């Protein structure tokens, strides 16, 4: 199967992309290496679902409370019946979900994995296909260590600017590779750039993926503008709140340096780190 050029069969009501994913929980013992077919419902969007771009925003949380922006986005997801999450607003406990975006590798991911193993903390790594192909040993370690390898697309396009069939191809290329190379699939997707629309949410959910956003983050992705361990520690810990989905970038040396202390302080303040598989 060519990752970038899957075979497409079209009809008036659906587009079938051969050897497509049927996501399963990574904890499932079922073998997932066999690629499966799926149909893209309404490939031409004849229902007229909105294609207006929505850019995810989370707001800066403080005083142990999520920003109202995060609260309102989660309310929108729930009200519309979308399988999407930026904030766990259902758990009664002080829970945190640690996630990383991985577009490429620059030597910090292994350090992050070492800290997570030492601290016994689960995490989700949302990877592009480029990252997975270039760093198979790291991806295998993520899986072997019990972390989630989430789908962050093939080429990292804005899902508010491509067709429904292209969206499916982007997700499929990544999922196919995980299945064929690692006998692995997980039903979690993160939109590149946090950009989406009503049509893309409908499409991604129809393929069996939960869309994972975030309610706690900071500008950590610029490798030429790292501000040091203390800055990362102070910024992240000041924004923690119950139910937070934390987004960090694995390319950040500040994150790799501060992660252990962030985990320790969070636990000292009564927080528990959980896997996305534990979302209520």
């Amino acid at each position: 199967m060519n990752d970038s050029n899957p075979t497409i069969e079209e009809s008036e009501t659906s587009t079938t992309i051969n050897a497509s994913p049927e996501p399963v929980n990574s904890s499932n013992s079922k073998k997932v290496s066999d690629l499966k077919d799926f149909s893209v419902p309404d490939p031409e969007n004849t229902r007229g679902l909105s294609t207006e771009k929505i850019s995810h925003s989370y707001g800066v949380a403080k005083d142990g409370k999520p920003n109202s922006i995060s609260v309102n986005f989660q309310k929108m997801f729930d009200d519309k019946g979308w399988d999407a999450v930026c904030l766990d607003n259902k758990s009664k406990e002080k829970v945190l979900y640690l996630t990383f975006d991985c577009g490429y590798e620059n030597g910090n991911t292994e350090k992050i994995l070492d800290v997570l193993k030492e601290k016994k903390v689960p995490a989700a790594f949302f990877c592009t296909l480029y990252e997975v192909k270039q760093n198979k040993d790291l991806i295998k370690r993520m899986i072997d260590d019990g972390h989630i390898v989430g789908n962050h697309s093939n080429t990292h396009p804005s899902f508010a600017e491509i067709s429904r069939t292209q969206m499916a191809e982007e997700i499929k290329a990544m999922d196919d590779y995980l299945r064929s190379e690692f006998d692995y699939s997980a039903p979690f997707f993160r939109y590149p750039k946090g950009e989406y629309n009503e049509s893309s949410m409908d499409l991604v959910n129809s393929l069996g993926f939960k869309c994972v956003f975030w309610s706690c983050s900071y500008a950590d992705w610029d490798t030429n503008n790292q501000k040091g361990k203390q800055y990362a520690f102070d910024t992240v810990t000041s924004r923690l709140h119950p139910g937070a989905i934390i987004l960090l970038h694995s390319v950040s040396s500040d994150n790799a340096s501060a992660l252990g202390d962030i985990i320790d302080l969070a636990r000292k303040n009564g927080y528990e780190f959980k896997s996305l598989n534990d979302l209520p």
Side-chain angles (χ1 to χ4, degrees), residues 165-200:
T165 298
Q166 288 172 316
M167 295 175 204
E169 291 171 348
E170 284 285 333
I171 294 173
K172 172 198 173 332
M174 173 64 170
D175 192 78
D176 277 359
Y177 195 80
L178 287 174
R179 288 174 180 271
S180 60
E181 293 295 319
F182 302 97
D183 190 30
Y184 178 91
S185 179
F188 300 102
F189 175 76
R190 175 163 282 161
Y191 284 106
K193 309 173 190 177
E195 295 178 350
Y196 64 102
N197 54 37
E198 182 181 7
S199 178
S200 71

Side-chain angles (χ1 to χ4, degrees), residues 69-85:
I69 294 175
S70 293
V71 174
N72 290 336
F73 263 106
Q74 187 60 55
K75 184 177 185 303
M76 179 182 73
F77 300 156
D78 294 341
D79 289 348
K80 290 182 176 292
W82 291 342
D83 192 5
V85 62

Side-chain angles (χ1 to χ4, degrees), residues 56-61 66-70 214-217 239 241:
H56 181 67
S57 180
Y58 57 94
V60 175
N67 190 282
S68 60
I69 294 175
S70 293
W214 57 92
S215 63
C216 178
S217 186
R239 299 180 181 186
H241 52 275

